[in-house]
Amino acid sequence: MRVLRFSLFLALTCLSTSGFIFAEEIAFPKVLTHFVPYSNNPIFTAEGPGHWDVKIRERGWILKEGDFYHLWFTGYDGTRAGLKMLGYAWSCDGIHWTRSPCNPVYKKHWVEDMMVLKHEGTYHMFAEGKNDIAQHLISHDAVNWKRVGPLDVRLSNGTPIPEGPYGTPVVWFEEDQWYLFYERRDAGIWLARSPDLKVWTNLNHDQPIMKPGPQPYDQKMIAMNQIIKYQGTYYMIFHGTAAAQKPSLWTTNIAASKDLLHWKKYTGNPLTKPEANQSSGLLIPDGKRFRLYTMHNQVDLNLPQDP
């Protein structure tokens, strides 16, 4: 009996200690969480009536290469049914932007809510197509794009996921594996993996790796916008809403993980005020620290808070 009690004590101690260590390892540094609005927001908007981009919508994307900033965005005629087309702009400071004279740079298919990563000299774009179906496009110059097609996402048993939207794709590449985060009707975030970008298989027993709540700021709907790795920890930027009123007011938030599966939301969320209605956030390094951009409806900039 004494041996049993001692063994039980050791087991409980180990569980408690491991939980404590895990909690201690998940940190939310100020450089990723404390920002102040730029005084001259917005820094990028639609050109308005008379132009191809009467309005812009959903997540745009900023990619910094050296001292050069790329910006991709979705423009449309302002109607719900209007074709969502891809626009491109560039900048040397991440604040003042020059639009491509070729805009829209892609209009063969519906493209919105995109993200871009560069791998072995090729730009890979993952975006929503029509009816919020995630798709893949590629480019060798960041401007001219070729559509590969919709993403083939499977359940863990190899069968296709149930019909319906699967959008706001976020892709991460590490150790010869591609990871896809996606949402379904903003009701949760799922994770799938692929060795070759052809077939994506769900992880986590087909269950979402993050759900809305329990706090009010994301109690009704969430969607992931970006993943970065900083000092050995993965950080997710996501947006959420309480949907307490119409139209819904969205906030930009952050969560962290050590393994891509188990995520802890920052207790200081949201990073933006609900009344600002800023979503589709991105953390972009400026060479010294991170800037926080929000991309939906217009591009706003939040600068690092002084130490």
Side-chain angles (χ1 to χ4, degrees):
M1 183 62 71
R2 289 180 178 176
V3 172
L4 181 60
R5 288 173 179 169
F6 182 68
S7 298
L8 180 60
F9 170 77
L10 285 179
L12 291 173
T13 301
C14 289
L15 285 172
S16 176
T17 303
S18 64
F20 175 75
I21 291 173
F22 180 76
E24 285 296 302
E25 287 178 342
I26 297 295
F28 290 92
K30 187 175 181 180
V31 69
L32 302 180
T33 56
H34 288 68
F35 300 92
V36 294
Y38 177 58
S39 59
N40 291 322
N41 279 328
I43 61 169
F44 190 87
T45 63
E47 288 199 283
H51 299 272
W52 72 275
D53 57 336
V54 175
K55 291 184 178 181
I56 61 174
R57 63 172 276 116
E58 296 282 28
R59 176 186 52 177
W61 194 261
I62 294 173
L63 177 66
K64 187 173 184 288
E65 289 191 273
D67 294 327
F68 190 86
Y69 294 80
H70 303 274
L71 168 63
W72 296 273
F73 63 98
T74 294
Y76 69 116
D77 62 8
T79 67
R80 188 175 184 86
L83 179 65
K84 307 305 184 287
M85 297 173 285
L86 181 65
Y88 174 76
W90 60 271
S91 174
C92 290
D93 61 6
I95 297 175
H96 304 91
W97 300 90
T98 300
R99 295 168 183 263
S100 169
C102 301
N103 280 338
V105 295
Y106 188 88
K107 56 182 180 180
K108 293 180 180 179
H109 302 89
W110 189 295
V111 177
E112 64 178 332
D113 220 348
M114 83 291 294
M115 63 87 57
V116 178
L117 61 82
K118 191 175 184 181
H119 178 69
E120 296 181 348
T122 298
Y123 296 93
H124 294 268
M125 177 177 290
F126 300 90
E128 287 182 1
K130 195 171 181 62
N131 299 320
D132 293 346
I133 303 299
Q135 60 180 328
H136 180 202
L137 302 93
I138 58 173
S139 173
H140 297 292
D141 61 6
V143 176
N144 296 287
W145 292 88
K146 177 183 177 181
R147 185 175 186 264
V148 179
L151 301 188
D152 183 353
V153 184
R154 308 289 184 93
L155 297 174
S156 56
N157 64 9
T159 60
I161 59 174
E163 291 186 4
Y166 56 105
T168 323
V170 176
V171 172
W172 178 258
F173 180 79
E174 189 170 19
E175 297 182 356
D176 296 322
Q177 294 289 320
W178 297 84
Y179 296 87
L180 167 69
F181 298 84
Y182 65 96
E183 49 85 11
R184 307 210 73 182
R185 298 183 177 89
D186 297 310
I189 300 168
W190 280 259
L191 175 61
R193 182 172 59 194
S194 174
D196 55 12
L197 293 172
K198 295 179 181 179
V199 175
W200 304 82
T201 304
N202 271 354
L203 301 177
N204 201 40
H205 308 290
D206 297 315
Q207 297 302 307
I209 53 100
M210 184 181 288
K211 297 180 180 179
Q215 299 301 319
Y217 67 85
D218 70 341
Q219 195 170 60
K220 295 296 182 182
M221 295 186 284
I222 58 171
M224 183 175 177
N225 300 128
Q226 180 196 34
I227 182 173
I228 65 169
K229 196 171 187 179
Y230 180 73
Q231 296 183 350
T233 299
Y234 301 100
Y235 291 93
M236 171 201 300
I237 298 298
F238 68 99
H239 59 254
T241 181
Q245 63 185 74
K246 297 294 182 181
S248 300
L249 296 178
W250 294 85
T251 58
T252 295
N253 308 278
I254 190 169
S257 173
K258 287 293 183 179
D259 61 4
L260 299 179
L261 287 172
H262 305 90
W263 292 87
K264 177 183 177 182
K265 297 177 183 179
Y266 176 46
T267 57
N269 281 335
L271 303 183
T272 59
K273 296 180 179 180
E275 59 268 24
N277 197 24
Q278 294 175 320
S279 66
S280 303
L282 302 175
L283 286 171
I284 305 298
D286 65 4
K288 297 179 181 179
R289 291 184 289 175
F290 286 89
R291 300 174 179 180
L292 175 64
Y293 292 85
T294 56
M295 305 291 292
H296 184 44
N297 194 32
Q298 63 185 32
V299 183
D300 287 320
L301 171 62
N302 294 277
L303 295 172
Q305 192 176 71
D306 291 332

